Amino acid sequence: MYRKLFTIGLACLMALFVMTVTQVADAQEPIKGPWLWMIAPTEANQGGQASTDIDSLSVASGGDVTEEMVAANGANEGDEVGDYAWTLGTLPDNGDTNVMAVDIGLTEVADFNDVSSYSLIYLVSATAQSGVTLGVSSDDSIKVWLNGEVVHTNAVNRGRGGTPANIDAYQDKIEVNLLEGANLLLVKVSERGGGWGQYVGIDADVTTSPTPPIFHIQGEWLWMIAPTEANQGGQASTDIDSLAVASNDDVTEEDVAMNGATEGDEVGDYAWTLGELPADGNINAMLVELGVTENADFNDVTSYALITLVADDDMEGVMIGVSSDDSVKVWLNGEVVHTNAVNRGRGNAASFQDSFAANLVKGDNILMIKVSERGGGWGMYAGISADVEAIYKSSAQLGTSVEAAGKLPTTWGSLKIK
């Protein structure tokens, strides 16, 4: 089962959830999306009722992709299953799947029969909600998974009816429980002939997203700063090892990214210091408050932020988001997983400027973020989509180095989060 997403500060989830999407679900209206869509043809005359319990994803992919896998792990836009690729699409007001599939380029067939559609979306809830009503209408048969579990099946050939005016107007109503955080909903509608479409609504306070939502990492990071040469901060210093420069090569980015650091240890004129990034992401203001510097407008300087992500299991394709003022470089378990040599403002907390996929290993994962500042503002935001604990651990607490092999970026198609 897809567990709730947890990072330090999840109590502020709805305020911190990055709105890459989308729609606040209203029980009075169907969820239009965007959803992430896939279609898979059935055998002739075997669509609708007859294919409800046939895994058309498995058939189309030769067993490489299954309904169970997608229901538990989600999918990635652009990943292929048979002759089709997962594609984002917003369902029209009348719930016509066929019209939408043509509009988004998923098919050119305007009257597609003997075919199953799969639509997935994340329902993001600020709190756990028990016994809420999920409503569905379909043309023809329908099967629904929530967090990897089948919660509803109706093997029937029928029209989907009119647009539901409220939760009671859906053809099928199911009582479900929502976890705090992200809940993965997968809906399969198998079409025999004629119309083809669906309505889905939920009587709960949720926000929807077609991709795994990324939540801000709150709590204390371990911080270090290292001045650059004059006029060489930001973009120009992205690939300069400012730790090595400041310490005469006694401390390097590679060493810290692999092994971590300990509060109080010195690098040049500064010491590693614990501090909680403020909600507005202002590194400079935080460092002044911590007493690391008295310079309220520090330019040509680089910050290093360390935190340990503790995972219960290996996790592939976890999404990490960062925003930065100015340039940014990110290491995970000693490997560089993202670089953006740019001079820019960091934007606001409502969205991440950069997002990328990376793998976590079971246990401790060292995340290091370098932000190089040229002038003006100086700050960052960082977030993750996975079920992890984000805490400070000293080098001694981390123990031996984590092997970085096998932890390069991957795609959401192989994500495994229980």
Side-chain angles (χ1 to χ4, degrees):
M1 179 177 290
Y2 188 98
R3 294 186 313 199
K4 66 182 179 182
L5 299 180
F6 178 80
T7 58
I8 303 299
L10 187 58
C12 300
L13 179 148
M14 296 311 288
L16 296 175
F17 167 44
V18 179
M19 304 299 290
T20 54
V21 250
T22 69
Q23 182 182 1
V24 176
D26 186 336
Q28 306 304 314
E29 296 182 1
I31 299 170
K32 298 174 185 175
W35 299 68
L36 194 58
W37 295 88
M38 173 58 64
I39 59 176
T42 71
E43 293 185 14
N45 303 316
Q46 293 300 303
Q49 183 181 53
S51 60
T52 309
D53 291 321
I54 294 174
D55 189 335
S56 297
L57 294 179
S58 180
V59 173
S61 67
D64 290 340
V65 180
T66 67
E67 293 175 346
E68 182 179 6
M69 289 167 54
V70 175
N73 304 320
N76 191 49
E77 182 183 7
D79 284 353
E80 296 181 353
V81 179
D83 296 328
Y84 302 92
W86 287 97
T87 304
L88 286 173
T90 300
L91 201 62
D93 291 343
N94 67 356
D96 194 319
T97 300
N98 208 147
V99 167
M100 179 212 63
V102 171
D103 285 346
I104 64 177
L106 198 52
T107 180
E108 296 180 354
V109 181
D111 184 18
F112 213 149
N113 299 318
D114 295 317
V115 62
S116 289
S117 65
Y118 294 87
S119 54
L120 67 85
I121 204 163
Y122 292 86
L123 308 177
V124 185
S125 177
T127 60
Q129 301 185 61
S130 299
V132 300
T133 302
L134 178 70
V136 294
S137 298
S138 62
D139 184 347
D140 289 296
S141 73
I142 189 165
K143 193 169 188 176
V144 182
W145 294 257
L146 181 65
N147 294 325
E149 299 288 337
V150 176
V151 294
H152 179 66
T153 301
N154 194 347
V156 63
N157 289 337
R158 65 182 179 190
R160 64 185 174 277
T163 305
N166 53 57
I167 200 68
D168 294 325
Y170 288 87
Q171 293 171 325
D172 305 338
K173 289 168 283 294
I174 314 111
E175 186 176 285
V176 298
N177 299 325
L178 297 179
L179 303 173
E180 179 184 25
N183 297 263
L184 178 55
L185 180 68
L186 177 68
V187 179
K188 172 185 180 179
V189 174
S190 295
E191 161 66 2
R192 172 60 191 92
W196 177 24
Q198 70 181 52
Y199 299 109
V200 178
I202 190 164
D203 189 11
D205 183 12
V206 297
T207 302
T208 64
S209 170
T211 57
I214 301 173
F215 300 94
H216 285 252
I217 298 173
Q218 302 272 277
E220 288 190 317
W221 297 69
L222 190 64
W223 297 89
M224 174 55 66
I225 61 174
T228 71
E229 294 184 14
N231 303 315
Q232 293 300 302
Q235 184 181 51
S237 61
T238 309
D239 292 323
I240 294 175
D241 188 336
S242 297
L243 294 179
V245 173
S247 68
N248 294 317
D249 293 326
D250 288 341
V251 180
T252 67
E253 292 176 344
E254 182 180 5
D255 174 61
V256 175
M258 178 68 74
N259 301 309
T262 299
E263 182 183 12
D265 285 353
E266 296 182 353
V267 179
D269 296 329
Y270 300 92
W272 286 98
T273 303
L274 281 172
E276 184 170 342
L277 189 65
D280 65 356
N282 191 323
I283 291 174
N284 209 147
M286 176 200 65
L287 293 173
V288 170
E289 185 175 346
L290 292 173
V292 174
T293 180
E294 296 180 355
N295 190 342
D297 185 20
F298 212 149
N299 299 318
D300 295 316
V301 61
T302 293
S303 65
Y304 295 87
L306 274 173
I307 204 160
T308 300
L309 308 176
V310 185
D312 291 341
D313 299 289
D314 291 347
M315 298 180 182
E316 295 184 350
V318 170
M319 298 303 296
I320 295 175
V322 292
S323 296
S324 63
D325 184 345
D326 289 298
S327 73
V328 65
K329 193 169 187 176
V330 183
W331 291 257
L332 182 64
N333 293 327
E335 291 285 339
V336 175
V337 291
H338 178 69
T339 301
N340 194 348
V342 63
N343 290 337
R344 65 182 178 188
R346 66 184 175 277
N348 58 60
S351 62
F352 290 114
Q353 294 166 325
D354 307 337
S355 60
F356 52 93
N359 298 344
L360 302 180
V361 296
K362 181 178 180 179
D364 295 337
N365 298 264
I366 302 171
L367 178 68
M368 183 169 82
I369 300 178
K370 171 185 180 178
V371 175
S372 296
E373 161 65 2
R374 171 60 191 90
W378 178 23
M380 77 173 200
Y381 300 109
I384 191 166
S385 67
D387 179 359
V388 295
E389 183 181 12
I391 60 175
Y392 158 68
K393 286 193 176 186
S394 67
S395 295
Q397 290 171 317
L398 289 166
T400 57
S401 302
V402 180
E403 279 296 329
K407 291 187 282 297
L408 296 177
T410 184
T411 65
W412 266 102
S414 59
L415 173 62
K416 179 62 178 176
I417 302 179
K418 297 192 287 184

